[in-house]
Every structure is written in structure tokens, then in C-alpha cells.
Amino acid sequence: MASKTPGVMSCHALPSPCRPTLATVERRKRQLTDGERTQLATAARFARHTGTPSMKELARAWKISPQSLYDIINRQRLTGSAAALPRSGRPSVLTDADETVLAELSEELDGEYTWEEIKKRFNEKTEKEVSTATVFRFCKNRGWRECSASLEDAQGLLPCSLPHSL
């Protein structure tokens, strides 16, 4: 006799619409992108209709608070978009397009470079004038390198452990 399927599945046995990507789970302090928010809202809608998993389990799998999950769901319900709202403060100097340029430079240099060198190449390629500290912070915030090293350590060669899956 076959056993019954449990009413609520664990997060690890989630159907693919509810599973976050590895990059989403390992994002550290980075905000969810608009695409990730849309994927999460779709997963939450799927979870509500099927009853598996609970919203709390879904929030835990995506490593966000349940309140954040409900905020994203409500934003999509009210505005038709789960995209993040504009934030106050100074706009970022580097854009998502610049992330692609930095990824290409990292692959080109095979992870062996000084921060000064990658800043110089980045400035030549994009015709922007950014500081070494800006490039360092951008890479660090994206989780492309170990966070234990500081900018003072950046005088020597530091590998950029960029996940080349952009």
C-alpha cells in the first residue's frame, strides 16, 4: 500500500517555481533584484494556490523575513509589479551594466590583478572616472571576493572570486 503524500512539503522538496537560485540565496546583504522579486511573487502565488509550502517556509528558503515576503506580494498585487521602489539617497555610480564590464575584466585578467589595475582598465573601457575604492566596494558588495580583506590589503594582488555565471 502506498503511503500518503504529506500535506506540507519541506523547503528542500519545493517544486521548481518556489526554489530560489543559488545566487539569490547566497546574496549576503545585497537587495533582491527586480527579477528575483518577480520570481518570488510568482512562487508565493503558486504556494498560495497549492498550499505548499507555507509563506513562512517560503520566506526562510529565500532568506528574507516573512514581512518582506508579504510586502513584495502586496506591492505586486497593488501596482502590478514587484519591482523595488526608488530609494532615497545618493544614486550609485556603477550600474548593472558596469557589473558586466567588471565580470568581463575579471575573466580577462583571470582573477590576478591589483585593484588599481582593474580600476584603470574599467575607466578606459567605460570612459568613467571611478576610484579604486568604488570598484573595491562594488565587487565586495556583490560578494565577488572574501570580505575579510580590507582596501589596505588591496595594494598587492588579490584574486576576485567572481562567480562567472552572469
Side-chain angles (χ1 to χ4, degrees):
M1 185 165 146
S3 64
K4 291 185 176 182
T5 305
V8 176
M9 297 165 49
S10 71
C11 290
H12 300 292
L14 293 178
S16 63
C18 294
R19 270 203 186 143
T21 62
L22 184 60
T24 302
V25 173
E26 294 180 350
R27 71 182 188 282
R28 295 187 183 159
K29 294 181 181 179
R30 178 180 63 82
Q31 297 286 326
L32 290 173
T33 65
D34 291 344
E36 290 169 339
R37 289 172 194 273
T38 302
Q39 182 184 3
L40 176 58
T42 304
R45 197 169 45 251
F46 177 82
R48 274 194 176 163
H49 289 294
T50 61
T52 54
S54 70
M55 292 295 135
K56 190 174 182 178
E57 288 175 328
L58 188 62
R60 188 178 308 125
W62 282 73
K63 293 190 177 179
I64 62 170
S65 69
Q67 184 59 50
S68 295
L69 174 62
Y70 285 111
D71 289 345
I72 291 170
I73 293 168
N74 289 334
R75 187 178 312 120
Q76 186 176 40
R77 186 174 47 82
L78 294 173
T79 66
S81 171
L85 298 174
R87 302 188 190 285
S88 62
R90 186 176 182 163
S92 178
V93 174
L94 301 178
T95 63
D96 290 336
D98 295 331
E99 180 177 1
T100 305
V101 172
L102 283 170
E104 290 169 359
L105 285 173
S106 176
E107 288 178 2
E108 179 183 312
L109 297 169
D110 197 26
E112 295 296 322
Y113 58 85
T114 61
W115 289 108
E116 188 64 37
E117 181 181 347
I118 198 157
K119 177 204 77 156
K120 180 182 169 196
R121 288 187 184 210
F122 177 79
N123 287 343
E124 289 170 359
K125 202 165 196 174
T126 62
E127 298 179 359
K128 288 185 176 182
E129 287 298 320
V130 298
S131 68
T132 305
T134 300
V135 173
F136 175 81
R137 273 192 312 273
F138 187 81
C139 291
K140 180 181 172 186
N141 290 340
R142 293 291 196 254
W144 290 359
R145 61 180 309 281
E146 295 299 320
C147 293
S148 60
S150 65
L151 185 58
E152 290 80 34
D153 297 334
Q155 304 306 319
L157 291 175
L158 289 177
C160 180
S161 52
L162 163 66
H164 298 291
S165 60
L166 298 175

